[in-house]
Amino acid sequence: MPMHIRRDDTVEVIAGDDKGQRSRVLRVDRDKGRAVVEGVNRVFKHLKRSRKNPQGGRLEIEAPIALSNLQVICTKCDKGVRTGIRTEADGKKHRVCRKCGADLGEL
Ligand SMILES: [Zn+2]
């Protein structure tokens, strides 16, 4: 399944604990096929005691989530949708909603 997800996209989580949540893509790691999405898949990272952090403690961070668990939101359909690619006359590739055909921006 081709994944056309970029940084700053608004996506919907379609599987896992955060299913149904909509948020912004902060980072995409194409090699690993994963993305970090704001507020999604939060985990606690434990910090060792250090001079800077004498108490140690824990930090809440977003762990990467598989791209296959995300869908770009079509503003027209108002939900996460599968996307296709359309090549415009100027050669630029645009993502389109497979349901309604709306242009979802340049890839
Ligand atoms: Zn649509």
Side-chain angles (χ1 to χ4, degrees):
M1 206 200 309
M3 283 301 144
H4 311 127
I5 289 171
R6 295 171 316 182
R7 191 163 68 92
D8 287 335
D9 274 341
T10 302
V11 293
E12 185 169 324
V13 182
I14 57 166
D17 291 344
D18 293 307
K19 189 174 172 180
Q21 201 172 320
R22 293 180 182 195
S23 196
R24 192 167 61 94
V25 176
L26 301 176
R27 228 169 35 240
V28 176
D29 186 338
R30 297 232 165 262
D31 295 337
K32 290 184 180 148
R34 301 178 88 82
V36 175
V37 184
E38 201 167 31
V40 170
N41 205 19
R42 283 175 179 273
V43 294
F44 287 105
K45 185 179 180 178
H46 294 269
L47 301 174
K48 280 191 182 155
R49 287 167 210 264
S50 64
R51 195 171 308 177
K52 202 175 153 197
N53 224 324
Q55 303 286 331
R58 51 185 204 169
L59 189 71
E60 203 175 13
I61 59 159
E62 289 106 343
I65 181 171
L67 288 173
S68 57
N69 289 347
L70 302 172
Q71 280 186 330
V72 177
I73 290 177
C74 171
T75 44
K76 221 165 151 187
C77 296
D78 191 30
K79 61 178 176 183
V81 293
R82 297 188 61 178
T83 52
I85 295 293
R86 187 172 65 200
T87 308
E88 303 293 314
D90 59 7
K92 284 181 178 159
K93 290 184 194 313
H94 280 237
R95 297 176 298 179
V96 292
C97 170
R98 288 231 189 154
K99 273 209 169 67
C100 72
D103 191 326
L104 302 178
E106 210 178 305
L107 183 63

